[in-house]
Amino acid sequence: MALECNIEARGKFVRLVFGAFAIIGSLPVVALTLYGVVDSRIGWSLAVMAWAGGGLCIFEGWSGFCVARGLGFRTPI
């Protein structure tokens, strides 16, 4: 099944930016986890979730295919 573009240029841009912010924003959590400020299970779980969500957003922005729209949900952007 080929991924068909279902978002406009503005939506692609927003998803790319949000994905980059999610990945960059997880770096302080990783640092706090490495220094022992945050419990390792919680810190690594948060970091992995941010990386997965950010990676999905970047993929959606790059490919032009939104998973939520593909499932039939209307997104405002």
Side-chain angles (χ1 to χ4, degrees):
M1 176 180 128
L3 298 178
E4 187 176 312
C5 184
N6 61 359
I7 54 177
E8 299 172 353
R10 189 175 69 176
K12 288 180 182 183
F13 175 74
V14 169
R15 282 165 178 82
L16 283 170
V17 170
F18 281 171
F21 281 159
I23 291 174
I24 292 169
S26 71
L27 296 179
V29 175
V30 171
L32 291 173
T33 304
L34 290 175
Y35 287 116
V37 177
V38 177
D39 182 41
S40 65
R41 271 189 274 171
I42 294 171
W44 289 120
S45 297
L46 289 173
V48 167
M49 286 186 277
W51 294 337
L56 177 64
C57 282
I58 290 173
F59 171 75
E60 287 181 347
W62 170 75
S63 68
F65 178 76
C66 178
V67 174
R69 283 187 174 221
L71 292 173
F73 296 101
R74 292 284 102 203
T75 56
I77 298 176

